[in-house]
Amino acid sequence: MALTQQPPTTIPLDIFPDGLKTTGQHPPLYEHIHPFDRFPKEITGPTVWKPEDYREHPEKWTHRFTAAEVEELSTTADAFLANKIPLTGISKTNFPLPTLSTRLHTLREDLLNGKGFILFKGLPVHEWGNHKSAVAYMGLGTYLGYFVSQNSRGHVLGHVKDLGEDPTQIDSVRIYRTNARQFFHADDSDIVGLLCIHRAREGGESDLVSSHHVYNTLAKERPDVLKTLTEPIWYFDRKGETSQGEEEWIRTSVVYLEREGDAPARVYTKWDPYYVRSLTRFSSTGLIPPLSAAQTEALEVLEATCNRLSLHMILEVGDIQFLANSHVLHARTAYVDHAPPTPRRHLMRLWLATPESEGGWRLPFWDSNEKKRGGIQVDDQPPVAPLDAE
């Protein structure tokens, strides 16, 4: 079924030199949001996995960079730096990986249509330093998708780090800038990457879950909860990261179907409880409805089910975790940093888009065919790639 396209706009090339702009957050095309009786009774295939499938078999989901792969990344990163190209201009064209690209092509397929996650190990980040590490990391990312902005400041290279912000102020604070627990959620991109630069003293560990396994479990145990999650009654906060004239929230469902196409429509989950719970400033004044008892129960049951079915992993320094937001939800435990002068926990983050025309999922949003679909874009804020949190 064809998309309803947004009116064409001119992208200023002095701000976006590659002619590509993050499309940002949008409400869905409501004609593509289907009732619960259209959803499958059960999901099958490689996107459905249980933690016991992988807990004792790390060889199925980890890859330690070989010496040859590290050398290829190092040589290519050095050449990129020597050419003085800004990080925002990195691409497959100017970051060639003739050997590693074959592995990354296979990985991309597994991310989008398979189990949906991988953990690379052994990037020498302390030897290389932040700049070269960021170049190598973003260079890898170009083989998986297109960088999209992660916040109102245009960060295409994000930094997960405790900046001392108050995690209780969830209507304005992004939790990745605190040391608080992050509940199970999906980011506003097709793929998310995390590169560990420094670990915390304790905590800050990762949990993943197949949202398709969660779906099947809820279908058997709590179909009422699953039905609530498929209804377009959920409001998500934009926390002020809006362009001129846009609403401060988006109404959508949590679980929805791909648009119809040649292949059967798959189930996609888009969720973050912090963005649902932070809207009381609007619901208290009657601008949007408050969470119903059924919704409150649904978000609690969803979190509990994710916890019960999750795979736990610890990111060591030099590890890179990539996962697909389409069918994997992820969480982080709260953490405590080392006392100074030991560096604080620091992960570099990428949000990557995989447009429908290049094998991405057929999303019920107007920008499904756009190269830089999703992300967060405020007006014409240019993309930037800072080397540390700011």
mmCIF file with all atom_site columns, all heavy atoms in Angstrom, residues 24-28 30 188 233-238 247-253 270 279 365:
data_model
loop_
_atom_site.group_PDB
_atom_site.id
_atom_site.type_symbol
_atom_site.label_atom_id
_atom_site.label_alt_id
_atom_site.label_comp_id
_atom_site.label_asym_id
_atom_site.label_entity_id
_atom_site.label_seq_id
_atom_site.pdbx_PDB_ins_code
_atom_site.Cartn_x
_atom_site.Cartn_y
_atom_site.Cartn_z
_atom_site.occupancy
_atom_site.B_iso_or_equiv
_atom_site.pdbx_formal_charge
_atom_site.auth_seq_id
_atom_site.auth_comp_id
_atom_site.auth_asym_id
_atom_site.auth_atom_id
_atom_site.pdbx_PDB_model_num
ATOM 1   N N   . GLY A 1 24  ? 12.944 12.944 11.650 1.00 0.00 ? 24  GLY A N   1
ATOM 2   C CA  . GLY A 1 24  ? 12.433 13.239 12.978 1.00 0.00 ? 24  GLY A CA  1
ATOM 3   C C   . GLY A 1 24  ? 11.211 12.427 13.370 1.00 0.00 ? 24  GLY A C   1
ATOM 4   O O   . GLY A 1 24  ? 10.847 11.440 12.726 1.00 0.00 ? 24  GLY A O   1
ATOM 5   N N   . GLN A 1 25  ? 10.569 12.864 14.448 1.00 0.00 ? 25  GLN A N   1
ATOM 6   C CA  . GLN A 1 25  ? 9.430  12.155 15.025 1.00 0.00 ? 25  GLN A CA  1
ATOM 7   C C   . GLN A 1 25  ? 8.122  12.632 14.398 1.00 0.00 ? 25  GLN A C   1
ATOM 8   O O   . GLN A 1 25  ? 7.933  13.829 14.189 1.00 0.00 ? 25  GLN A O   1
ATOM 9   C CB  . GLN A 1 25  ? 9.392  12.385 16.542 1.00 0.00 ? 25  GLN A CB  1
ATOM 10  C CG  . GLN A 1 25  ? 10.628 11.874 17.263 1.00 0.00 ? 25  GLN A CG  1
ATOM 11  C CD  . GLN A 1 25  ? 10.667 12.328 18.709 1.00 0.00 ? 25  GLN A CD  1
ATOM 12  O OE1 . GLN A 1 25  ? 10.461 13.501 19.016 1.00 0.00 ? 25  GLN A OE1 1
ATOM 13  N NE2 . GLN A 1 25  ? 10.939 11.409 19.613 1.00 0.00 ? 25  GLN A NE2 1
ATOM 14  N N   . HIS A 1 26  ? 7.232  11.682 14.138 1.00 0.00 ? 26  HIS A N   1
ATOM 15  C CA  . HIS A 1 26  ? 5.954  12.001 13.506 1.00 0.00 ? 26  HIS A CA  1
ATOM 16  C C   . HIS A 1 26  ? 4.884  11.048 14.016 1.00 0.00 ? 26  HIS A C   1
ATOM 17  O O   . HIS A 1 26  ? 5.182  9.909  14.389 1.00 0.00 ? 26  HIS A O   1
ATOM 18  C CB  . HIS A 1 26  ? 6.035  11.845 11.979 1.00 0.00 ? 26  HIS A CB  1
ATOM 19  C CG  . HIS A 1 26  ? 7.161  12.594 11.350 1.00 0.00 ? 26  HIS A CG  1
ATOM 20  N ND1 . HIS A 1 26  ? 7.106  13.937 11.094 1.00 0.00 ? 26  HIS A ND1 1
ATOM 21  C CD2 . HIS A 1 26  ? 8.389  12.183 10.948 1.00 0.00 ? 26  HIS A CD2 1
ATOM 22  C CE1 . HIS A 1 26  ? 8.251  14.327 10.554 1.00 0.00 ? 26  HIS A CE1 1
ATOM 23  N NE2 . HIS A 1 26  ? 9.041  13.282 10.456 1.00 0.00 ? 26  HIS A NE2 1
ATOM 24  N N   . PRO A 1 27  ? 3.635  11.472 13.992 1.00 0.00 ? 27  PRO A N   1
ATOM 25  C CA  . PRO A 1 27  ? 2.562  10.512 14.254 1.00 0.00 ? 27  PRO A CA  1
ATOM 26  C C   . PRO A 1 27  ? 2.487  9.513  13.108 1.00 0.00 ? 27  PRO A C   1
ATOM 27  O O   . PRO A 1 27  ? 2.950  9.792  11.993 1.00 0.00 ? 27  PRO A O   1
ATOM 28  C CB  . PRO A 1 27  ? 1.305  11.385 14.317 1.00 0.00 ? 27  PRO A CB  1
ATOM 29  C CG  . PRO A 1 27  ? 1.653  12.621 13.557 1.00 0.00 ? 27  PRO A CG  1
ATOM 30  C CD  . PRO A 1 27  ? 3.124  12.829 13.740 1.00 0.00 ? 27  PRO A CD  1
ATOM 31  N N   . PRO A 1 28  ? 1.927  8.346  13.350 1.00 0.00 ? 28  PRO A N   1
ATOM 32  C CA  . PRO A 1 28  ? 1.800  7.360  12.278 1.00 0.00 ? 28  PRO A CA  1
ATOM 33  C C   . PRO A 1 28  ? 0.730  7.775  11.276 1.00 0.00 ? 28  PRO A C   1
ATOM 34  O O   . PRO A 1 28  ? -0.030 8.725  11.499 1.00 0.00 ? 28  PRO A O   1
ATOM 35  C CB  . PRO A 1 28  ? 1.386  6.090  13.026 1.00 0.00 ? 28  PRO A CB  1
ATOM 36  C CG  . PRO A 1 28  ? 0.623  6.606  14.203 1.00 0.00 ? 28  PRO A CG  1
ATOM 37  C CD  . PRO A 1 28  ? 1.324  7.868  14.610 1.00 0.00 ? 28  PRO A CD  1
ATOM 38  N N   . TYR A 1 30  ? -2.534 6.949  10.373 1.00 0.00 ? 30  TYR A N   1
ATOM 39  C CA  . TYR A 1 30  ? -3.503 6.196  11.173 1.00 0.00 ? 30  TYR A CA  1
ATOM 40  C C   . TYR A 1 30  ? -4.284 5.167  10.363 1.00 0.00 ? 30  TYR A C   1
ATOM 41  O O   . TYR A 1 30  ? -4.766 4.174  10.916 1.00 0.00 ? 30  TYR A O   1
ATOM 42  C CB  . TYR A 1 30  ? -4.451 7.168  11.886 1.00 0.00 ? 30  TYR A CB  1
ATOM 43  C CG  . TYR A 1 30  ? -3.747 7.991  12.941 1.00 0.00 ? 30  TYR A CG  1
ATOM 44  C CD1 . TYR A 1 30  ? -3.516 9.352  12.741 1.00 0.00 ? 30  TYR A CD1 1
ATOM 45  C CD2 . TYR A 1 30  ? -3.280 7.410  14.114 1.00 0.00 ? 30  TYR A CD2 1
ATOM 46  C CE1 . TYR A 1 30  ? -2.850 10.110 13.693 1.00 0.00 ? 30  TYR A CE1 1
ATOM 47  C CE2 . TYR A 1 30  ? -2.614 8.156  15.070 1.00 0.00 ? 30  TYR A CE2 1
ATOM 48  C CZ  . TYR A 1 30  ? -2.401 9.509  14.856 1.00 0.00 ? 30  TYR A CZ  1
ATOM 49  O OH  . TYR A 1 30  ? -1.735 10.251 15.798 1.00 0.00 ? 30  TYR A OH  1
ATOM 50  N N   . ASP A 1 188 ? 14.513 5.802  18.864 1.00 0.00 ? 188 ASP A N   1
ATOM 51  C CA  . ASP A 1 188 ? 13.864 6.334  17.663 1.00 0.00 ? 188 ASP A CA  1
ATOM 52  C C   . ASP A 1 188 ? 14.745 6.164  16.424 1.00 0.00 ? 188 ASP A C   1
ATOM 53  O O   . ASP A 1 188 ? 15.100 7.139  15.744 1.00 0.00 ? 188 ASP A O   1
ATOM 54  C CB  . ASP A 1 188 ? 13.512 7.810  17.861 1.00 0.00 ? 188 ASP A CB  1
ATOM 55  C CG  . ASP A 1 188 ? 12.201 7.985  18.606 1.00 0.00 ? 188 ASP A CG  1
ATOM 56  O OD1 . ASP A 1 188 ? 11.235 7.295  18.251 1.00 0.00 ? 188 ASP A OD1 1
ATOM 57  O OD2 . ASP A 1 188 ? 12.154 8.800  19.543 1.00 0.00 ? 188 ASP A OD2 1
ATOM 58  N N   . ILE A 1 233 ? -3.894 4.628  21.407 1.00 0.00 ? 233 ILE A N   1
ATOM 59  C CA  . ILE A 1 233 ? -4.375 5.444  22.526 1.00 0.00 ? 233 ILE A CA  1
ATOM 60  C C   . ILE A 1 233 ? -3.223 5.930  23.392 1.00 0.00 ? 233 ILE A C   1
ATOM 61  O O   . ILE A 1 233 ? -3.438 6.532  24.444 1.00 0.00 ? 233 ILE A O   1
ATOM 62  C CB  . ILE A 1 233 ? -5.360 4.640  23.398 1.00 0.00 ? 233 ILE A CB  1
ATOM 63  C CG1 . ILE A 1 233 ? -4.688 3.364  23.921 1.00 0.00 ? 233 ILE A CG1 1
ATOM 64  C CG2 . ILE A 1 233 ? -6.630 4.307  22.615 1.00 0.00 ? 233 ILE A CG2 1
ATOM 65  C CD1 . ILE A 1 233 ? -5.517 2.576  24.921 1.00 0.00 ? 233 ILE A CD1 1
ATOM 66  N N   . TRP A 1 234 ? -1.998 5.682  22.937 1.00 0.00 ? 234 TRP A N   1
ATOM 67  C CA  . TRP A 1 234 ? -0.821 5.993  23.735 1.00 0.00 ? 234 TRP A CA  1
ATOM 68  C C   . TRP A 1 234 ? -0.219 7.320  23.277 1.00 0.00 ? 234 TRP A C   1
ATOM 69  O O   . TRP A 1 234 ? 0.017  7.526  22.087 1.00 0.00 ? 234 TRP A O   1
ATOM 70  C CB  . TRP A 1 234 ? 0.215  4.880  23.604 1.00 0.00 ? 234 TRP A CB  1
ATOM 71  C CG  . TRP A 1 234 ? -0.266 3.574  24.148 1.00 0.00 ? 234 TRP A CG  1
ATOM 72  C CD1 . TRP A 1 234 ? -1.022 2.636  23.505 1.00 0.00 ? 234 TRP A CD1 1
ATOM 73  C CD2 . TRP A 1 234 ? -0.032 3.067  25.464 1.00 0.00 ? 234 TRP A CD2 1
ATOM 74  N NE1 . TRP A 1 234 ? -1.270 1.571  24.332 1.00 0.00 ? 234 TRP A NE1 1
ATOM 75  C CE2 . TRP A 1 234 ? -0.675 1.806  25.546 1.00 0.00 ? 234 TRP A CE2 1
ATOM 76  C CE3 . TRP A 1 234 ? 0.659  3.541  26.581 1.00 0.00 ? 234 TRP A CE3 1
ATOM 77  C CZ2 . TRP A 1 234 ? -0.643 1.024  26.697 1.00 0.00 ? 234 TRP A CZ2 1
ATOM 78  C CZ3 . TRP A 1 234 ? 0.695  2.769  27.729 1.00 0.00 ? 234 TRP A CZ3 1
ATOM 79  C CH2 . TRP A 1 234 ? 0.051  1.529  27.785 1.00 0.00 ? 234 TRP A CH2 1
ATOM 80  N N   . TYR A 1 235 ? 0.050  8.183  24.237 1.00 0.00 ? 235 TYR A N   1
ATOM 81  C CA  . TYR A 1 235 ? 0.681  9.469  23.951 1.00 0.00 ? 235 TYR A CA  1
ATOM 82  C C   . TYR A 1 235 ? 2.138  9.416  24.413 1.00 0.00 ? 235 TYR A C   1
ATOM 83  O O   . TYR A 1 235 ? 2.426  9.009  25.536 1.00 0.00 ? 235 TYR A O   1
ATOM 84  C CB  . TYR A 1 235 ? -0.058 10.601 24.661 1.00 0.00 ? 235 TYR A CB  1
ATOM 85  C CG  . TYR A 1 235 ? -1.410 10.901 24.056 1.00 0.00 ? 235 TYR A CG  1
ATOM 86  C CD1 . TYR A 1 235 ? -2.512 10.097 24.338 1.00 0.00 ? 235 TYR A CD1 1
ATOM 87  C CD2 . TYR A 1 235 ? -1.581 11.969 23.184 1.00 0.00 ? 235 TYR A CD2 1
ATOM 88  C CE1 . TYR A 1 235 ? -3.754 10.352 23.772 1.00 0.00 ? 235 TYR A CE1 1
ATOM 89  C CE2 . TYR A 1 235 ? -2.823 12.239 22.614 1.00 0.00 ? 235 TYR A CE2 1
ATOM 90  C CZ  . TYR A 1 235 ? -3.898 11.424 22.914 1.00 0.00 ? 235 TYR A CZ  1
ATOM 91  O OH  . TYR A 1 235 ? -5.120 11.686 22.346 1.00 0.00 ? 235 TYR A OH  1
ATOM 92  N N   . PHE A 1 236 ? 3.033  9.829  23.526 1.00 0.00 ? 236 PHE A N   1
ATOM 93  C CA  . PHE A 1 236 ? 4.470  9.835  23.824 1.00 0.00 ? 236 PHE A CA  1
ATOM 94  C C   . PHE A 1 236 ? 4.970  11.279 23.863 1.00 0.00 ? 236 PHE A C   1
ATOM 95  O O   . PHE A 1 236 ? 4.725  12.061 22.940 1.00 0.00 ? 236 PHE A O   1
ATOM 96  C CB  . PHE A 1 236 ? 5.241  9.037  22.769 1.00 0.00 ? 236 PHE A CB  1
ATOM 97  C CG  . PHE A 1 236 ? 5.080  7.546  22.900 1.00 0.00 ? 236 PHE A CG  1
ATOM 98  C CD1 . PHE A 1 236 ? 3.945  6.912  22.409 1.00 0.00 ? 236 PHE A CD1 1
ATOM 99  C CD2 . PHE A 1 236 ? 6.053  6.782  23.524 1.00 0.00 ? 236 PHE A CD2 1
ATOM 100 C CE1 . PHE A 1 236 ? 3.786  5.539  22.534 1.00 0.00 ? 236 PHE A CE1 1
ATOM 101 C CE2 . PHE A 1 236 ? 5.905  5.407  23.653 1.00 0.00 ? 236 PHE A CE2 1
ATOM 102 C CZ  . PHE A 1 236 ? 4.766  4.785  23.158 1.00 0.00 ? 236 PHE A CZ  1
ATOM 103 N N   . ASP A 1 237 ? 5.680  11.589 24.918 1.00 0.00 ? 237 ASP A N   1
ATOM 104 C CA  . ASP A 1 237 ? 6.218  12.926 25.138 1.00 0.00 ? 237 ASP A CA  1
ATOM 105 C C   . ASP A 1 237 ? 7.369  13.200 24.172 1.00 0.00 ? 237 ASP A C   1
ATOM 106 O O   . ASP A 1 237 ? 8.181  12.318 23.889 1.00 0.00 ? 237 ASP A O   1
ATOM 107 C CB  . ASP A 1 237 ? 6.726  13.009 26.580 1.00 0.00 ? 237 ASP A CB  1
ATOM 108 C CG  . ASP A 1 237 ? 6.919  14.430 27.068 1.00 0.00 ? 237 ASP A CG  1
ATOM 109 O OD1 . ASP A 1 237 ? 6.792  15.368 26.259 1.00 0.00 ? 237 ASP A OD1 1
ATOM 110 O OD2 . ASP A 1 237 ? 7.194  14.591 28.275 1.00 0.00 ? 237 ASP A OD2 1
ATOM 111 N N   . ARG A 1 238 ? 7.461  14.423 23.695 1.00 0.00 ? 238 ARG A N   1
ATOM 112 C CA  . ARG A 1 238 ? 8.604  14.819 22.873 1.00 0.00 ? 238 ARG A CA  1
ATOM 113 C C   . ARG A 1 238 ? 9.588  15.674 23.665 1.00 0.00 ? 238 ARG A C   1
ATOM 114 O O   . ARG A 1 238 ? 10.617 16.099 23.147 1.00 0.00 ? 238 ARG A O   1
ATOM 115 C CB  . ARG A 1 238 ? 8.122  15.541 21.618 1.00 0.00 ? 238 ARG A CB  1
ATOM 116 C CG  . ARG A 1 238 ? 7.241  14.634 20.741 1.00 0.00 ? 238 ARG A CG  1
ATOM 117 C CD  . ARG A 1 238 ? 6.894  15.267 19.426 1.00 0.00 ? 238 ARG A CD  1
ATOM 118 N NE  . ARG A 1 238 ? 8.088  15.494 18.627 1.00 0.00 ? 238 ARG A NE  1
ATOM 119 C CZ  . ARG A 1 238 ? 8.087  16.142 17.466 1.00 0.00 ? 238 ARG A CZ  1
ATOM 120 N NH1 . ARG A 1 238 ? 6.949  16.614 16.976 1.00 0.00 ? 238 ARG A NH1 1
ATOM 121 N NH2 . ARG A 1 238 ? 9.204  16.324 16.799 1.00 0.00 ? 238 ARG A NH2 1
ATOM 122 N N   . GLU A 1 247 ? 3.261  19.557 17.614 1.00 0.00 ? 247 GLU A N   1
ATOM 123 C CA  . GLU A 1 247 ? 2.703  19.254 18.925 1.00 0.00 ? 247 GLU A CA  1
ATOM 124 C C   . GLU A 1 247 ? 3.776  18.681 19.846 1.00 0.00 ? 247 GLU A C   1
ATOM 125 O O   . GLU A 1 247 ? 4.783  18.139 19.389 1.00 0.00 ? 247 GLU A O   1
ATOM 126 C CB  . GLU A 1 247 ? 1.548  18.256 18.796 1.00 0.00 ? 247 GLU A CB  1
ATOM 127 C CG  . GLU A 1 247 ? 0.290  18.853 18.189 1.00 0.00 ? 247 GLU A CG  1
ATOM 128 C CD  . GLU A 1 247 ? -0.877 17.880 18.212 1.00 0.00 ? 247 GLU A CD  1
ATOM 129 O OE1 . GLU A 1 247 ? -0.656 16.693 17.900 1.00 0.00 ? 247 GLU A OE1 1
ATOM 130 O OE2 . GLU A 1 247 ? -2.002 18.314 18.524 1.00 0.00 ? 247 GLU A OE2 1
ATOM 131 N N   . GLU A 1 248 ? 3.523  18.784 21.144 1.00 0.00 ? 248 GLU A N   1
ATOM 132 C CA  . GLU A 1 248 ? 4.488  18.343 22.148 1.00 0.00 ? 248 GLU A CA  1
ATOM 133 C C   . GLU A 1 248 ? 4.378  16.849 22.443 1.00 0.00 ? 248 GLU A C   1
ATOM 134 O O   . GLU A 1 248 ? 5.083  16.337 23.310 1.00 0.00 ? 248 GLU A O   1
ATOM 135 C CB  . GLU A 1 248 ? 4.289  19.135 23.445 1.00 0.00 ? 248 GLU A CB  1
ATOM 136 C CG  . GLU A 1 248 ? 4.622  20.613 23.326 1.00 0.00 ? 248 GLU A CG  1
ATOM 137 C CD  . GLU A 1 248 ? 6.115  20.865 23.177 1.00 0.00 ? 248 GLU A CD  1
ATOM 138 O OE1 . GLU A 1 248 ? 6.905  19.978 23.553 1.00 0.00 ? 248 GLU A OE1 1
ATOM 139 O OE2 . GLU A 1 248 ? 6.494  21.934 22.670 1.00 0.00 ? 248 GLU A OE2 1
ATOM 140 N N   . TRP A 1 249 ? 3.514  16.166 21.752 1.00 0.00 ? 249 TRP A N   1
ATOM 141 C CA  . TRP A 1 249 ? 3.332  14.732 21.969 1.00 0.00 ? 249 TRP A CA  1
ATOM 142 C C   . TRP A 1 249 ? 2.960  14.072 20.650 1.00 0.00 ? 249 TRP A C   1
ATOM 143 O O   . TRP A 1 249 ? 2.627  14.748 19.667 1.00 0.00 ? 249 TRP A O   1
ATOM 144 C CB  . TRP A 1 249 ? 2.229  14.480 23.001 1.00 0.00 ? 249 TRP A CB  1
ATOM 145 C CG  . TRP A 1 249 ? 0.922  15.104 22.604 1.00 0.00 ? 249 TRP A CG  1
ATOM 146 C CD1 . TRP A 1 249 ? 0.004  14.634 21.700 1.00 0.00 ? 249 TRP A CD1 1
ATOM 147 C CD2 . TRP A 1 249 ? 0.396  16.355 23.053 1.00 0.00 ? 249 TRP A CD2 1
ATOM 148 N NE1 . TRP A 1 249 ? -1.048 15.496 21.561 1.00 0.00 ? 249 TRP A NE1 1
ATOM 149 C CE2 . TRP A 1 249 ? -0.838 16.565 22.388 1.00 0.00 ? 249 TRP A CE2 1
ATOM 150 C CE3 . TRP A 1 249 ? 0.844  17.318 23.968 1.00 0.00 ? 249 TRP A CE3 1
ATOM 151 C CZ2 . TRP A 1 249 ? -1.610 17.699 22.606 1.00 0.00 ? 249 TRP A CZ2 1
ATOM 152 C CZ3 . TRP A 1 249 ? 0.063  18.441 24.182 1.00 0.00 ? 249 TRP A CZ3 1
ATOM 153 C CH2 . TRP A 1 249 ? -1.148 18.621 23.507 1.00 0.00 ? 249 TRP A CH2 1
ATOM 154 N N   . ILE A 1 250 ? 3.023  12.756 20.653 1.00 0.00 ? 250 ILE A N   1
ATOM 155 C CA  . ILE A 1 250 ? 2.605  11.965 19.494 1.00 0.00 ? 250 ILE A CA  1
ATOM 156 C C   . ILE A 1 250 ? 1.650  10.888 19.985 1.00 0.00 ? 250 ILE A C   1
ATOM 157 O O   . ILE A 1 250 ? 1.936  10.197 20.968 1.00 0.00 ? 250 ILE A O   1
ATOM 158 C CB  . ILE A 1 250 ? 3.813  11.325 18.788 1.00 0.00 ? 250 ILE A CB  1
ATOM 159 C CG1 . ILE A 1 250 ? 4.628  12.405 18.060 1.00 0.00 ? 250 ILE A CG1 1
ATOM 160 C CG2 . ILE A 1 250 ? 3.374  10.246 17.803 1.00 0.00 ? 250 ILE A CG2 1
ATOM 161 C CD1 . ILE A 1 250 ? 5.927  11.910 17.487 1.00 0.00 ? 250 ILE A CD1 1
ATOM 162 N N   . ARG A 1 251 ? 0.523  10.760 19.307 1.00 0.00 ? 251 ARG A N   1
ATOM 163 C CA  . ARG A 1 251 ? -0.422 9.691  19.644 1.00 0.00 ? 251 ARG A CA  1
ATOM 164 C C   . ARG A 1 251 ? -0.190 8.524  18.693 1.00 0.00 ? 251 ARG A C   1
ATOM 165 O O   . ARG A 1 251 ? -0.196 8.684  17.471 1.00 0.00 ? 251 ARG A O   1
ATOM 166 C CB  . ARG A 1 251 ? -1.871 10.175 19.524 1.00 0.00 ? 251 ARG A CB  1
ATOM 167 C CG  . ARG A 1 251 ? -2.899 9.066  19.819 1.00 0.00 ? 251 ARG A CG  1
ATOM 168 C CD  . ARG A 1 251 ? -4.317 9.592  19.780 1.00 0.00 ? 251 ARG A CD  1
ATOM 169 N NE  . ARG A 1 251 ? -4.725 10.017 18.447 1.00 0.00 ? 251 ARG A NE  1
ATOM 170 C CZ  . ARG A 1 251 ? -5.225 9.197  17.510 1.00 0.00 ? 251 ARG A CZ  1
ATOM 171 N NH1 . ARG A 1 251 ? -5.344 7.895  17.757 1.00 0.00 ? 251 ARG A NH1 1
ATOM 172 N NH2 . ARG A 1 251 ? -5.592 9.690  16.333 1.00 0.00 ? 251 ARG A NH2 1
ATOM 173 N N   . THR A 1 252 ? 0.010  7.350  19.260 1.00 0.00 ? 252 THR A N   1
ATOM 174 C CA  . THR A 1 252 ? 0.279  6.173  18.444 1.00 0.00 ? 252 THR A CA  1
ATOM 175 C C   . THR A 1 252 ? -0.033 4.927  19.257 1.00 0.00 ? 252 THR A C   1
ATOM 176 O O   . THR A 1 252 ? -0.555 5.014  20.368 1.00 0.00 ? 252 THR A O   1
ATOM 177 C CB  . THR A 1 252 ? 1.754  6.173  17.970 1.00 0.00 ? 252 THR A CB  1
ATOM 178 O OG1 . THR A 1 252 ? 1.971  5.079  17.083 1.00 0.00 ? 252 THR A OG1 1
ATOM 179 C CG2 . THR A 1 252 ? 2.719  6.086  19.130 1.00 0.00 ? 252 THR A CG2 1
ATOM 180 N N   . SER A 1 253 ? 0.266  3.780  18.696 1.00 0.00 ? 253 SER A N   1
ATOM 181 C CA  . SER A 1 253 ? 0.183  2.529  19.448 1.00 0.00 ? 253 SER A CA  1
ATOM 182 C C   . SER A 1 253 ? 1.597  2.130  19.861 1.00 0.00 ? 253 SER A C   1
ATOM 183 O O   . SER A 1 253 ? 2.586  2.711  19.401 1.00 0.00 ? 253 SER A O   1
ATOM 184 C CB  . SER A 1 253 ? -0.474 1.434  18.607 1.00 0.00 ? 253 SER A CB  1
ATOM 185 O OG  . SER A 1 253 ? 0.202  1.286  17.375 1.00 0.00 ? 253 SER A OG  1
ATOM 186 N N   . LYS A 1 270 ? 7.359  -0.129 19.417 1.00 0.00 ? 270 LYS A N   1
ATOM 187 C CA  . LYS A 1 270 ? 7.986  1.185  19.625 1.00 0.00 ? 270 LYS A CA  1
ATOM 188 C C   . LYS A 1 270 ? 7.573  1.659  21.015 1.00 0.00 ? 270 LYS A C   1
ATOM 189 O O   . LYS A 1 270 ? 6.413  2.012  21.240 1.00 0.00 ? 270 LYS A O   1
ATOM 190 C CB  . LYS A 1 270 ? 7.509  2.161  18.548 1.00 0.00 ? 270 LYS A CB  1
ATOM 191 C CG  . LYS A 1 270 ? 8.272  3.474  18.471 1.00 0.00 ? 270 LYS A CG  1
ATOM 192 C CD  . LYS A 1 270 ? 7.722  4.300  17.316 1.00 0.00 ? 270 LYS A CD  1
ATOM 193 C CE  . LYS A 1 270 ? 8.458  5.616  17.155 1.00 0.00 ? 270 LYS A CE  1
ATOM 194 N NZ  . LYS A 1 270 ? 9.819  5.422  16.633 1.00 0.00 ? 270 LYS A NZ  1
ATOM 195 N N   . LEU A 1 279 ? 3.927  12.763 30.867 1.00 0.00 ? 279 LEU A N   1
ATOM 196 C CA  . LEU A 1 279 ? 2.983  13.674 30.221 1.00 0.00 ? 279 LEU A CA  1
ATOM 197 C C   . LEU A 1 279 ? 1.951  14.283 31.158 1.00 0.00 ? 279 LEU A C   1
ATOM 198 O O   . LEU A 1 279 ? 0.985  14.892 30.699 1.00 0.00 ? 279 LEU A O   1
ATOM 199 C CB  . LEU A 1 279 ? 2.260  12.928 29.089 1.00 0.00 ? 279 LEU A CB  1
ATOM 200 C CG  . LEU A 1 279 ? 3.112  12.670 27.841 1.00 0.00 ? 279 LEU A CG  1
ATOM 201 C CD1 . LEU A 1 279 ? 2.515  11.542 27.020 1.00 0.00 ? 279 LEU A CD1 1
ATOM 202 C CD2 . LEU A 1 279 ? 3.233  13.932 27.004 1.00 0.00 ? 279 LEU A CD2 1
ATOM 203 N N   . PHE A 1 365 ? 4.680  5.045  8.688  1.00 0.00 ? 365 PHE A N   1
ATOM 204 C CA  . PHE A 1 365 ? 5.001  6.459  8.824  1.00 0.00 ? 365 PHE A CA  1
ATOM 205 C C   . PHE A 1 365 ? 5.319  7.016  7.440  1.00 0.00 ? 365 PHE A C   1
ATOM 206 O O   . PHE A 1 365 ? 5.828  6.292  6.572  1.00 0.00 ? 365 PHE A O   1
ATOM 207 C CB  . PHE A 1 365 ? 6.208  6.661  9.753  1.00 0.00 ? 365 PHE A CB  1
ATOM 208 C CG  . PHE A 1 365 ? 5.954  6.248  11.175 1.00 0.00 ? 365 PHE A CG  1
ATOM 209 C CD1 . PHE A 1 365 ? 6.170  4.940  11.579 1.00 0.00 ? 365 PHE A CD1 1
ATOM 210 C CD2 . PHE A 1 365 ? 5.477  7.162  12.103 1.00 0.00 ? 365 PHE A CD2 1
ATOM 211 C CE1 . PHE A 1 365 ? 5.927  4.546  12.887 1.00 0.00 ? 365 PHE A CE1 1
ATOM 212 C CE2 . PHE A 1 365 ? 5.231  6.779  13.416 1.00 0.00 ? 365 PHE A CE2 1
ATOM 213 C CZ  . PHE A 1 365 ? 5.449  5.470  13.807 1.00 0.00 ? 365 PHE A CZ  1
#
